[in-house]
Amino acid sequence: MQKIRSGTLAALLLGSIFTPVLSHAAPADSAAIRDSALKDDVAFAFTEGLTTEVGPRPAGTPQEARARDWAVAKLKALGFSNVRAEPYTMPVWVRGRDEARIVSPFPQNLVLAALGNSGSTSEKGIEGEIVYFASIADLEAAPAAALKGKIAFVDHGMKATQDGSSYGYFGAARRQGPSIASKKGAIAILIRSIGTDHHRVPHTGVQMWADGVTPIPAAALSVPDAEQLARVIARGQPVKVHLTLTSKMLKDQPSGNVIAEIPGSDPTTGIVVAACHLDSWDQGTGAIDDATGCGIAAASALQVAKLGQPRRTIRVLMAGAEEVGGDGARAYYKAHGAEKHALAIESDFGADRIWRVDFKLPQGHEVLAKRIAGALAPLGVGASTQEAGGGADIAPLVKAGVPVIDLQQDGTRYFDLHHTPDDTLDKVDPAQLRQNVAAWAVTLEAVANAPESMGVN
Amino acid sequence: MQKIRSGTLAALLLGSIFTPVLSHAAPADSAAIRDSALKDDVAFAFTEGLTTEVGPRPAGTPQEARARDWAVAKLKALGFSNVRAEPYTMPVWVRGRDEARIVSPFPQNLVLAALGNSGSTSEKGIEGEIVYFASIADLEAAPAAALKGKIAFVDHGMKATQDGSSYGYFGAARRQGPSIASKKGAIAILIRSIGTDHHRVPHTGVQMWADGVTPIPAAALSVPDAEQLARVIARGQPVKVHLTLTSKMLKDQPSGNVIAEIPGSDPTTGIVVAACHLDSWDQGTGAIDDATGCGIAAASALQVAKLGQPRRTIRVLMAGAEEVGGDGARAYYKAHGAEKHALAIESDFGADRIWRVDFKLPQGHEVLAKRIAGALAPLGVGASTQEAGGGADIAPLVKAGVPVIDLQQDGTRYFDLHHTPDDTLDKVDPAQLRQNVAAWAVTLEAVANAPESMGVN
Ligand SMILES: [Zn+2]
Ligand SMILES: [Zn+2]
């Protein structure tokens, strides 16, 4: 919980006399907005519509363009103002065929998916002997001679955590592994999927080549396939694998953000940005990553609007190209960074129940934090003393000092699905999604109507 | 529980005086064999080895031939006698590429797998409008005009049952759907997978064309894909799908059964056949279907042998080609049907815990049934009054009147995995597998050493 100083509380009470909109933050209103949001069907309908009528929507592709058109039409129909797409261009990596098989000693196919920006093999593929590494540290420690002309295999099994904190640690195999392997002369790299499931659904994801490194084919094996390959290797005979990972890079493809607003009564008080990303990986339909996030942002903004015009403008930002490096977030900041932003908040961790709220508010806003925490508590959300950090879609804003609140979803099963073909609508729990909308709605309402002065610029 | 008649009991007690091997069936021995089997590591090692060192092993392919070689070597190493492969030939359907996409109104890929004996498209595929059917009954009721030149889609969602009894009802979409659709002039048929999971792993399986029916491309969509297609159709616009399902038929390919024995002390008492199948579908490594079955049969026979030579020969039959129609079972019966068989028992329903025993024994063998039920009860296995029916690998024996016992596995999650890429080693629970071995071991021991005269021929 945030500590409250009595001086701040006094200032708040004084302020309330002059700001009738404060009434929105009263306990009665919090209860009303929670009750209403817990019956919300906008977030699920948004998720269902985007995943069904568009499906997969990789950044910079025609599918992502269809998602923008779809979102613009949908947000207009929902009653948002100033709905528009804001285009930019970007380079795009496009998946081709992903095929692999153990050639010897025990011939059989393996299920895998190329990682973003993977190098491409020829149509005929490549063949090489596997060199096993239990972790990225082992790969780093290996002499280059061990890898020259061979295929590295990094077999680090991810463990689930409720807050997703294991992604940083285990994700290194995907993020740094390919560059390290290439530097040491490997002809390709396979990693065990950065995932916590046991299904034949590989977890893709982006990786960036370090400066001066030659791209090599890089792919994630599904968890059962990684375990199978490890068992085969453990037999002690040399293991040869044939890989066909075709892909291509395109320059200057169209991408874009989608923006929609609930205009506030007092434009001088700054904008509250409610962010998510519209793009998805190509294998699934991006239901939990991140159609639900966009559904939550839109639905909760509408729940606030139901109570009457908020003091601050709530701007829903459905960013493009989050999955491949954040081009959308940078384009938004370039276009809008000079505007006054009161707060940024983002949903990009599925839609299982929100269990914790983290704050990063300016000094003196402890009462606001306490008010929000009080409105969230009935939803089963605890307040933490961890500092909020936001996500990729609001990272440039947060870096510039814009206040941020994190509503932390339960991520226990998130990495069962993340970046796999299995990220589909059936994985969304409508009841938990509604709890997300309720938590977002009380938070947005409190901030949008806060009498405190907030924000950057 | 089986009813006991006192006359039978008297006959048994009389018999016991002259048959010292009856001591094997005494409670003390049952406890010893259970204790030993509950520590068994042979069944898991067999399963791990077959799925790792061979992997997928479709009937009539070089992989199935490798499985036979592997099994012969393994069974010899485990100490079995008379280990050999018994070859036969058969026609073989071979999967090619399985690709599908919604062309309009919402372009996106679908994950599916051709069914066994599916017709093949050209390399370029075919395109057609979807006609929706909620069930096989609806497909049957449709006028042919509705299907002419179109693609049928049967969307019947399977429900899980502990005893697998829903497979007959829901499986009709796969077994009869393709022939019905072809007769009505459909150019292809898609079915919702006969499965109870929600992963992007389609459930393949065999289907036989009815007499005179022209083969058409026939495939199962994964459950999430079937739900997605149903949602797209529910939007009310015509839905066009492009299908590429290439496959081929080969004649006279080599397949075979593998046989291994624990020779009995009295060959006149008949053979106890402990069956499973060595082949698997091509997408997974056939861990629960049916490597575990073969591991259970072999391990439990060895557990019996540990107590000393049994009265009857226990013959482990690892049949070929179960998945595609039972060529192995027929070949076994042709070669061995004239031999005296005391009992047939089969494991082909995964390796989750055995919860029920069903009997089909000759009149007068109620005491034997009671003895077995008593030995199984400490393992949490209840006896039923349902008649045992056996499975495909022993079907010709059962048809010929050979007594049969079914040790029923818990099938609640079996159809999450059945015939999918997800049928891999990680799905096997070693503790439940050991309980299977223990249940099989006490059953085989009781039958192999039963003083009663049993069997056909
Ligand atoms: Zn995301
Ligand atoms: Zn089977």
Side-chain angles (χ1 to χ4, degrees):
Chain A
M1 300 289 281
Q2 303 294 305
K3 292 218 177 69
I4 307 296
R5 291 175 305 170
S6 57
T8 312
L9 185 60
L12 171 76
L13 293 173
L14 192 67
S16 71
I17 298 167
F18 303 102
T19 51
V21 285
L22 177 63
S23 65
H24 287 308
D29 274 357
S30 289
I33 200 168
R34 276 195 307 269
D35 288 350
S36 170
L38 287 172
K39 298 185 193 94
D40 180 78
D41 54 13
V42 169
F44 191 84
F46 189 99
T47 304
E48 196 266 0
L50 180 61
T51 58
T52 301
E53 298 181 10
V54 181
R57 41 199 185 278
T61 69
Q63 296 107 293
E64 196 198 28
R66 285 205 294 126
R68 283 193 298 283
D69 294 346
W70 186 94
V72 165
K74 183 64 153 186
L75 292 164
K76 283 180 178 170
L78 287 169
F80 281 92
S81 300
N82 306 325
V83 180
R84 74 271 189 192
E86 297 188 339
Y88 52 84
T89 61
M90 57 179 290
V92 174
W93 175 89
V94 181
R95 185 185 308 282
R97 277 192 302 144
D98 292 340
E99 291 172 11
R101 63 176 194 275
I102 299 174
V103 175
S104 62
F106 310 129
Q108 55 193 283
N109 292 335
L110 295 170
V111 175
L112 82 182
L115 301 176
N117 299 321
S118 169
S120 182
T121 68
S122 70
E123 286 292 331
K124 292 196 163 180
I126 59 171
E127 201 169 296
E129 193 180 323
I130 297 286
V131 188
Y132 179 90
F133 300 99
S135 69
I136 188 85
D138 288 358
L139 174 66
E140 269 179 320
L147 270 167
K148 199 93 191 160
K150 297 184 177 170
I151 300 173
F153 169 42
V154 182
D155 180 34
H156 205 180
M158 189 189 201
K159 301 289 183 289
T161 53
Q162 184 168 350
D163 65 358
S165 54
S166 58
Y167 190 37
Y169 174 63
F170 291 104
R174 188 189 84 210
R175 294 187 205 100
Q176 283 92 53
S179 288
I180 297 168
S182 177
K183 278 183 201 165
K184 292 182 193 266
I187 59 170
I189 178 170
L190 301 178
I191 63 164
R192 179 178 164 127
S193 277
I194 312 303
T196 50
D197 61 296
H198 267 89
H199 297 288
R200 302 288 291 284
V201 286
H203 297 239
T204 188
V206 78
Q207 57 84 38
M208 308 290 185
W209 298 104
D211 284 345
V213 166
T214 308
I216 55 174
L221 292 162
S222 88
V223 172
D225 288 273
E227 292 184 347
Q228 179 81 334
L229 182 56
R231 278 190 296 270
V232 169
I233 292 165
R235 296 309 203 252
Q237 301 173 56
V239 177
K240 271 200 179 170
V241 165
H242 188 278
L243 280 181
T244 310
L245 296 171
T246 63
S247 59
K248 59 187 174 187
M249 292 291 314
L250 305 174
K251 289 181 187 168
D252 297 328
Q253 299 299 298
S255 183
N257 297 320
V258 170
I259 282 173
E261 292 176 350
I262 307 289
S265 59
D266 184 353
T268 67
T269 54
I271 296 155
V272 178
V273 169
C276 63
H277 65 85
L278 203 51
D279 67 310
S280 77
W281 271 104
D282 54 346
Q283 303 188 108
T285 62
I288 66 152
D289 187 12
D290 184 28
T292 47
C294 291
I296 291 163
S300 57
L302 291 173
Q303 290 287 349
V304 176
K306 271 195 202 172
L307 294 186
Q309 187 178 25
R311 186 176 179 219
R312 293 183 174 82
T313 293
I314 301 175
R315 178 181 288 167
V316 175
L317 164 61
M318 299 189 173
E322 188 275 343
E323 293 295 1
V324 294
D327 301 72
R330 287 190 294 277
Y332 176 83
Y333 191 74
K334 198 171 163 194
H336 300 282
E339 299 169 36
K340 181 173 177 178
H341 285 84
L343 187 92
I345 180 169
E346 175 177 333
S347 178
D348 186 16
F349 198 48
D352 280 351
R353 76 181 181 86
I354 290 171
W355 63 287
R356 197 181 79 193
V357 55
D358 305 333
F359 297 97
K360 187 180 169 191
L361 300 180
Q363 281 282 349
H365 287 65
E366 292 79 3
V367 168
L368 174 60
K370 188 177 177 175
R371 223 155 60 226
I372 293 169
L376 288 169
L379 296 167
V381 181
S384 85
T385 56
Q386 293 207 43
E387 188 170 83
D393 300 310
I394 57 173
L397 293 170
V398 173
K399 198 177 165 198
V402 173
V404 57
I405 295 175
D406 290 343
L407 292 169
Q408 301 282 9
Q409 281 108 349
D410 180 350
T412 308
R413 67 180 187 127
Y414 186 72
F415 289 102
D416 288 355
L417 307 169
H418 181 244
H419 297 180
T420 73
D422 253 355
D423 182 2
T424 49
L425 183 66
D426 48 286
K427 310 311 183 303
V428 176
D429 175 350
Q432 294 192 72
L433 178 62
R434 286 190 198 100
Q435 187 261 13
N436 275 255
V437 175
W440 267 64
V442 295
T443 304
L444 285 182
E445 196 275 343
V447 174
N449 291 317
E452 291 93 339
S453 89
M454 296 181 72
V456 169
N457 294 337
Chain B
M1 300 289 280
Q2 302 294 305
K3 293 218 176 69
I4 307 296
R5 290 176 305 170
S6 56
T8 312
L9 185 60
L12 170 76
L13 293 173
L14 192 68
S16 71
I17 298 168
F18 304 101
T19 52
V21 287
L22 177 63
S23 64
H24 287 308
D29 274 357
S30 288
I33 200 167
R34 277 195 307 269
D35 288 350
S36 170
L38 287 172
K39 298 186 193 94
D40 180 78
D41 55 14
V42 169
F44 191 84
F46 189 99
T47 304
E48 195 267 359
L50 180 61
T51 58
T52 301
E53 298 181 10
V54 181
R57 41 200 186 278
T61 69
Q63 296 108 292
E64 195 199 28
R66 285 206 294 125
R68 282 193 297 283
D69 294 345
W70 186 95
V72 164
K74 183 63 151 187
L75 292 164
K76 283 181 179 170
L78 287 170
F80 281 91
S81 300
N82 307 325
V83 180
R84 76 269 191 192
E86 297 188 340
Y88 53 84
T89 61
M90 56 178 290
V92 174
W93 175 88
V94 181
R95 185 184 308 283
R97 278 192 301 144
D98 291 341
E99 292 172 10
R101 64 176 194 274
I102 299 174
V103 174
S104 63
F106 310 130
Q108 55 192 283
N109 292 335
L110 296 170
V111 175
L112 83 182
L115 301 176
N117 300 322
S118 169
S120 181
T121 69
S122 71
E123 287 292 331
K124 291 194 162 179
I126 59 172
E127 201 169 297
E129 193 180 322
I130 297 285
V131 188
Y132 179 89
F133 301 99
S135 69
I136 187 85
D138 288 358
L139 173 66
E140 269 179 320
L147 270 167
K148 199 92 192 160
K150 297 185 176 171
I151 300 173
F153 169 43
V154 182
D155 180 34
H156 204 179
M158 188 188 201
K159 302 288 184 289
T161 53
Q162 185 168 347
D163 66 358
S165 54
S166 58
Y167 189 38
Y169 173 64
F170 291 104
R174 189 190 83 210
R175 295 187 204 99
Q176 282 92 54
S179 288
I180 298 168
S182 177
K183 278 184 202 164
K184 291 181 194 266
I187 59 170
I189 179 169
L190 301 178
I191 63 164
R192 179 177 164 128
S193 277
I194 311 304
T196 50
D197 62 295
H198 268 88
H199 298 289
R200 302 289 291 284
V201 288
H203 297 239
T204 189
V206 79
Q207 58 84 38
M208 307 291 186
W209 298 103
D211 284 346
V213 166
T214 307
I216 55 174
L221 292 162
S222 88
V223 172
D225 288 272
E227 292 184 347
Q228 178 82 336
L229 182 55
R231 278 190 296 270
V232 169
I233 292 165
R235 296 310 203 250
Q237 301 173 57
V239 177
K240 271 201 179 169
V241 165
H242 188 279
L243 281 181
T244 311
L245 297 171
T246 62
S247 59
K248 59 187 173 186
M249 291 293 312
L250 306 173
K251 288 180 187 169
D252 297 329
Q253 299 299 299
S255 182
N257 297 319
V258 170
I259 283 172
E261 293 175 348
I262 308 288
S265 59
D266 183 354
T268 67
T269 53
I271 296 155
V272 177
V273 169
C276 63
H277 65 85
L278 202 52
D279 66 311
S280 77
W281 270 104
D282 54 346
Q283 305 187 105
T285 62
I288 65 151
D289 187 12
D290 185 28
T292 47
C294 290
I296 291 162
S300 57
L302 292 173
Q303 291 287 348
V304 176
K306 270 194 203 173
L307 295 186
Q309 187 180 24
R311 186 176 179 219
R312 292 182 175 83
T313 293
I314 301 175
R315 179 182 286 167
V316 175
L317 164 60
M318 300 189 172
E322 188 276 342
E323 293 294 2
V324 294
D327 302 72
R330 286 190 295 276
Y332 176 83
Y333 191 74
K334 198 172 164 192
H336 301 281
E339 299 169 35
K340 181 173 178 180
H341 284 84
L343 186 93
I345 180 169
E346 175 177 332
S347 179
D348 187 16
F349 198 48
D352 280 350
R353 77 179 182 88
I354 290 171
W355 64 288
R356 197 181 79 192
V357 56
D358 305 334
F359 297 97
K360 187 180 169 193
L361 301 180
Q363 281 283 351
H365 287 66
E366 291 79 5
V367 169
L368 173 62
K370 187 177 177 174
R371 221 155 59 226
I372 293 170
L376 288 168
L379 296 167
V381 181
S384 85
T385 56
Q386 292 206 44
E387 188 171 82
D393 299 311
I394 56 173
L397 293 170
V398 173
K399 198 177 166 197
V402 173
V404 56
I405 295 176
D406 289 344
L407 291 169
Q408 301 283 9
Q409 281 108 350
D410 181 350
T412 309
R413 67 180 186 124
Y414 185 73
F415 289 101
D416 289 354
L417 307 168
H418 181 244
H419 297 180
T420 73
D422 253 354
D423 181 1
T424 49
L425 183 66
D426 47 285
K427 310 310 183 304
V428 177
D429 176 349
Q432 294 193 73
L433 178 61
R434 286 189 198 102
Q435 187 260 12
N436 275 254
V437 175
W440 267 64
V442 295
T443 304
L444 286 182
E445 196 275 342
V447 174
N449 291 317
E452 291 93 338
S453 90
M454 296 181 71
V456 170
N457 295 335

